[in-house]
Amino acid sequence: MGVFSMSYGQLNTSSGVIWGTLGASEPLVLNEDFSGFEFFHTDDNPDQGNSENMLDNDGTTIIYGYKNDTVEVPILGSTSGKITYTFYQAAFAPEWATAYGYVDALAAEDLENSENYNSTNVSNGFVELSRFDTIYSTIPTARGYLTVDLRELDFVEVIQWSHSSTGGNKRGVMCEFSLDDGASWDTLRYQPGNSWALSFTKDPYTLEKTSNGYRCDPSAHGMTWEDGVYAENVMLRFREAGGQTPRIHDLKVYGTYIQTAANIIEKDGLRIYAAHKIIHISEQARVAVYNISGAKVREANYTSSVSMSDMPGGIYLVKAQTDRSVRTTKVIIH
């Protein structure tokens, strides 16, 4: 772990990255195209631009035409594992093509087959995320986002995703990641439509940026992206970059899910997890770590992290005790 392979593939400025370049070896655990969501948009067809983006009368709450929601979907291949979506200022169009895919299908009088007019691997249907806009509107708008909580997965290897926009020449999109339960976020992929030379991907471990040379302004029929994550305790967040409203059409996640006691943790209780060969505890605690043979290999008082950098990979039992609670759970060190 920790070796990050950047997502290049063939350079195609009009459709993005060719999926499969990173050679994902883990199973597919999420395959989302947003076709199962109820239509919620103020316009009648994909060529009408973004959903209505005026703030409510108090100037602070939900934007008309967008909504907030939380949805759980199952982890593929599991009986109880869940992935949680959090939508903030989002609109939904489960059957629409990309904006110009729709235009071309309309011109060909072939709307029933509009998916054939999108870029390869870009599905009809999307979630649209509102933009922060003080240039084109006299009323400021809120910046929407989609958070994808993958923390129940033991390991996230590769993600594949696609996006389009409502039009214009600023089809920016950004994918962010968090490895610390959402306490901090950093950029995994930055694709500004109006300053495409600034686009980059980032290594989640070293945080090294690599310019990728892709541009989003010709994304009339959608663009595809593939990014290596190679981490545990992952959350993703999709949002606007460069002022244009993004639409996320597809999201595929490759990773592992092992149904163990480590997956059964009370969200509001003492949380224990491992990332980067470090065991993390959600608050200061007395900690003891045991290997699978029952031998104690680590012990510390009043700490919220325990390094396992010199220990072999495998399953360990962690006992953490605070003044208010005690929890014992398994973690996997890679």
Side-chain angles (χ1 to χ4, degrees):
M1 276 184 56
V3 178
F4 185 80
S5 178
M6 288 299 179
S7 46
Y8 281 102
Q10 292 179 289
L11 181 64
N12 187 333
T13 58
S14 64
S15 62
V17 175
I18 305 300
W19 286 356
T21 300
L22 296 183
S25 59
E26 299 295 336
L28 183 68
V29 291
L30 177 67
N31 188 6
E32 182 62 76
D33 62 6
F34 301 101
S35 60
F37 287 76
E38 183 179 0
F39 181 90
F40 187 89
H41 203 282
T42 57
D43 294 317
D44 295 327
N45 64 61
D47 194 34
Q48 293 295 319
N50 53 291
S51 197
E52 180 58 56
N53 61 3
M54 304 289 278
L55 289 170
D56 278 354
N57 292 334
D58 63 8
T60 59
T61 57
I62 193 167
I63 297 175
Y64 176 65
Y66 293 98
K67 66 178 179 178
N68 305 335
D69 201 3
T70 299
V71 176
E72 288 186 341
V73 297
I75 295 172
L76 297 180
S78 78
T79 57
S80 60
K82 301 292 184 183
I83 291 169
T84 303
Y85 303 141
T86 301
F87 300 99
Y88 178 71
Q89 308 296 11
F92 300 90
E95 297 180 355
W96 283 1
T98 59
Y100 290 101
Y102 171 84
V103 170
D104 288 351
L106 183 66
E109 298 182 347
D110 193 21
L111 285 175
E112 290 186 359
N113 297 301
S114 59
E115 69 274 6
N116 297 330
Y117 294 85
N118 296 334
S119 298
T120 301
N121 290 325
V122 179
S123 301
N124 277 7
F126 53 76
V127 53
E128 179 183 297
L129 308 173
S130 67
R131 65 187 177 188
F132 181 78
D133 179 11
T134 57
I135 299 175
Y136 301 104
S137 173
T138 57
I139 300 177
T141 59
R143 193 181 195 189
Y145 58 79
L146 161 61
T147 300
V148 183
D149 187 345
L150 303 173
R151 288 177 293 174
E152 285 198 26
L153 296 174
D154 295 277
F155 178 65
V156 176
E157 182 187 26
V158 169
I159 63 171
Q160 297 169 338
W161 54 288
S162 66
H163 97 283
S164 70
S165 182
T166 57
N169 63 352
K170 301 179 179 64
R171 298 185 180 93
V173 68
M174 178 162 53
C175 178
E176 299 173 305
F177 69 94
S178 174
L179 304 179
D180 58 5
D181 302 310
S184 63
W185 293 86
D186 209 332
T187 304
L188 180 64
R189 177 176 289 276
Y190 180 62
Q191 298 291 154
N194 54 348
S195 301
W196 62 270
L198 301 178
S199 61
F200 65 85
T201 48
K202 182 179 285 188
D203 186 320
Y205 289 94
T206 67
L207 302 185
E208 178 183 356
K209 290 183 181 180
T210 302
S211 298
N212 60 37
Y214 292 92
R215 56 190 297 168
C216 288
D217 56 349
S219 63
H221 300 86
M223 302 190 78
T224 56
W225 308 108
E226 181 175 65
D227 296 292
V229 182
Y230 310 112
E232 306 141 320
N233 206 60
V234 176
M235 300 175 71
L236 301 174
R237 186 166 65 187
F238 298 91
R239 59 198 307 179
E240 157 266 325
Q244 187 56 265
T245 304
R247 293 169 168 176
I248 308 300
H249 288 255
D250 303 274
L251 174 61
K252 297 175 184 285
V253 176
Y254 297 85
T256 56
Y257 174 76
I258 303 172
Q259 186 109 9
T260 67
N263 303 126
I264 308 171
I265 301 174
E266 296 178 10
K267 292 183 179 180
D268 297 327
L270 189 62
R271 179 173 171 77
I272 303 169
Y273 66 93
H276 308 169
K277 298 203 80 172
I278 298 175
I279 296 171
H280 297 271
I281 303 92
S282 59
E283 57 185 285
Q284 296 281 320
R286 295 182 293 278
V287 181
V289 182
Y290 302 85
N291 63 21
I292 57 175
S293 299
K296 185 186 293 185
V297 296
R298 286 286 187 277
E299 188 172 25
N301 289 327
Y302 306 106
T303 186
S304 59
S305 64
V306 177
S307 174
M308 300 289 284
S309 60
D310 61 336
M311 299 300 296
I315 297 174
Y316 292 84
L317 192 67
V318 182
K319 180 179 180 181
Q321 184 173 357
T322 69
D323 294 336
R324 294 174 296 140
S325 62
V326 59
R327 181 170 296 281
T328 302
T329 191
K330 294 177 183 178
V331 299
I332 301 175
I333 301 298
H334 294 275

